[in-house]
Amino acid sequence: MEDVSDRDSVDEYFMALNLVQGLAVQDISCGANLAATEAKAVTYREGNDGPWSSVAIRVGTPAQDVRAFVSTLTSATWVIVPEGCTPTDPSNCGNRRGGLFSVNASSTWVLNEFFGLFYDSWLNLTGNGEFGFDTVGLSWQGSGGPTLNRTVVAGVADPDFYLGNFGLSPRPTNFTTFNDPQSSYLTLLKDSNQIPSLSYGMTAGAQYRYSKVLASTTLGGYDQGRFAAGSGLSFPFGPDQTRDLLVGIQTITKTSASGSTNLLPNGIYAAIDSTVAQIYLPQPAITAFEKAFSLTLDPKSGLYLVNDSLHNALIAQQASVVFTLGKDISGGQTVQITLPYASFDLIAEAPLVNSSSRYFPLHLASNDTEYTLGRTFLQEAYLTADYERNNFSVAQCTWSTNMTEHIIPICSLNATTCANNNNKNNGRGGGGGGLSSGAIAGIVVGAVALLAIIALLVWLFAIRPRKKKRLAELENTEVQKRERFEGHYDSKDEGSTNKPPPGVELDADQIHIGHEIGGTMVIGEELHAEEPPKPIYEMPGDLHYNEVPSPESSGRDPMSAISPISPATVSPR
């Protein structure tokens, strides 16, 4: 008779082997290249409240090159239109504002309507935009950066936003109603398989570091070369979509050779927002800063102007400001972001002031919904936002003379494949290997499955044979007992001639033969590798000036359900 149990063991072995091979294929595919995309920063420093590092974008057909700041608030692309420069402005106004975009010169421009830039007044800033749809690409013409058709574009003339903004938020833009949401640039990149996930990493750059370090913006990943691995702190997104990058500021401390000073009497919640330059704080903190840095508010400009003598005194102090951030305003894990005085040493230009002047980027918030850590903070902080896992992280930037770019993709939440890394030199040196959070999760799942397979193999080839042997011995013992009872037992079989036979014979119906308990086994299904590799895109520093702005979405987003305004032209200031 065929030994069915042995045949089953062989079948089970090959099933387990197939499962191992399936896992091996999946593990290898997780290392396939999935490129992140860079929004290239340009070498110019610009803006009337900086200087700041901007990014290059091209808009329309044929493409028109412009520069913009990166905005974590908006999801649309804001560009400066010719109406933003008047006859009273300097002759180089267009270049000073990052280049002008003419809607009439673009064959792919589709006008929607004039809308307010925000859902309501935001940080006491208002403005209108000529909203429509057009083609937008990353980096200069001929650079090979990704290009998307029919993206949301707003033509802006208002001088409150001196340069345009490139929106990083994935929230959709809603015109008038919520019934027809328009996808963000980030979402369109993800949907067209040009980045692996709805995520980005960015820092504003620091013109006072080495040879003026440029901004870095990576779409679909982050640049590990900008901060120490494992040094940041992860936060959940805040409930308000217009302030979703919400952190608890537990303390703000000024440190110098003369000691330390507390600048924040009580903890507060504040939003990180690269759309604005300044840091917005409550009155007690403003008063503490004024005293610690000898600041005086200029009533005309509304800025804390710094003259040469004060500037020299502040440099001599060699002071730094340390922000201690946590998920709450007290307790729990924290991360510290240290800003040297040089971070606050900025230049204000027209039309903010009549003539160029240093200023300290501090602003009084009207209420607790305005507490904001602007672009000044992001000079020394690296921000990574993952909209698929609903969290973001903040880490202290690291600096060295030989900084190298190390782009790491962030895998999509449901991805079966993702790149291990995608290092781009761009003349700055290559980065080492690294694992994304999705890849790490895949490794963990694979390891658990592998352990389960090992346990199965041990059961098949070690425990189960031993168990079968034991059951066979028990069955043989029962046969011997039966022979005793029936008079066929020979005591010599046990090696003894003196042992008497059993004294009492049991009836046949009293004989109980043990039964083998059958083992059960769950056989896992083979895992299959899916999805081809996808690219990631980054925006580092390269040729001209540019920056990028914030989000519009459903919910209480700046562009959410905004009533159209009169198409009357906005008088630039």
Side-chain angles (χ1 to χ4, degrees), residues 435-514:
L435 291 175
S436 67
S437 57
I440 293 172
I443 291 172
V444 172
V445 172
V448 171
L450 186 59
L451 289 175
I453 293 169
I454 292 172
L456 173 63
L457 294 176
V458 170
W459 184 84
L460 287 174
F461 300 105
I463 298 175
R464 186 176 182 183
R466 201 176 305 159
K467 185 176 180 182
K468 291 173 64 179
K469 181 179 179 182
R470 175 60 180 158
L471 290 172
E473 291 174 350
L474 291 174
E475 185 175 354
N476 186 51
T477 300
E478 292 296 338
V479 172
Q480 292 175 353
K481 287 181 180 179
R482 188 183 302 117
E483 290 175 348
R484 280 199 186 105
F485 301 150
E486 296 175 357
H488 301 299
Y489 175 76
D490 187 352
S491 63
K492 290 186 292 181
D493 293 341
E494 291 189 357
S496 171
T497 59
N498 298 321
K499 289 183 180 180
V504 180
E505 179 176 347
L506 298 179
D507 294 334
D509 59 1
Q510 291 179 291
I511 299 175
H512 302 279
I513 300 176

Side-chain angles (χ1 to χ4, degrees), residues 265-280:
N266 298 296
I268 60 172
Y269 289 102
I272 297 174
D273 191 344
S274 66
T275 317
V276 294
Q278 301 186 56
I279 295 176
Y280 289 68

Side-chain angles (χ1 to χ4, degrees), residues 146-194:
T147 301
L148 297 175
N149 299 321
R150 194 176 168 78
T151 69
V152 178
V153 175
V156 178
D158 198 309
D160 277 347
F161 303 97
Y162 204 63
L163 262 72
N165 281 295
F166 178 77
L168 296 182
S169 172
R171 315 292 190 191
T173 298
N174 292 281
F175 296 112
T176 306
T177 71
F178 294 101
N179 297 326
D180 188 24
Q182 303 300 315
S183 296
S184 68
Y185 197 90
L186 193 70
T187 299
L188 291 173
L189 278 176
K190 171 66 168 56
D191 290 347
S192 59
N193 295 322
Q194 298 193 63

Side-chain angles (χ1 to χ4, degrees), residues 55-68 76-81 98-110 130 132-142 146-156 164-167 185 546-548:
V55 297
I57 56 177
R58 54 191 188 276
V59 185
T61 306
Q64 301 175 46
D65 289 333
V66 295
R67 305 179 303 276
T77 300
W78 298 358
V79 291
I80 306 302
V81 292
L100 304 178
F101 170 69
S102 172
V103 299
N104 295 329
S106 174
S107 62
T108 48
W109 168 257
V110 177
E130 182 182 7
F133 304 94
D134 212 334
T135 300
V136 175
L138 301 183
S139 301
W140 303 121
Q141 298 180 49
T147 301
L148 297 175
N149 299 321
R150 194 176 168 78
T151 69
V152 178
V153 175
V156 178
N165 281 295
F166 178 77
Y185 197 90
N546 285 13
E547 188 172 299
V548 190

Side-chain angles (χ1 to χ4, degrees), residues 24 34 39 71 126 132 139 160 168 203 248 271 294 319-321 360 370 402 472 514 535:
L34 242 193
S71 169
T126 58
S139 301
D160 277 347
L168 296 182
T203 182
S294 303
S320 295
V321 177
F360 197 99
E370 291 190 355
N402 60 345

Side-chain angles (χ1 to χ4, degrees), residues 111-128:
L111 175 65
N112 187 307
E113 200 165 344
F114 281 81
F115 290 94
L117 293 174
F118 304 104
Y119 182 78
D120 54 13
S121 177
W122 167 76
L123 299 180
N124 292 320
L125 297 172
T126 58
N128 305 318

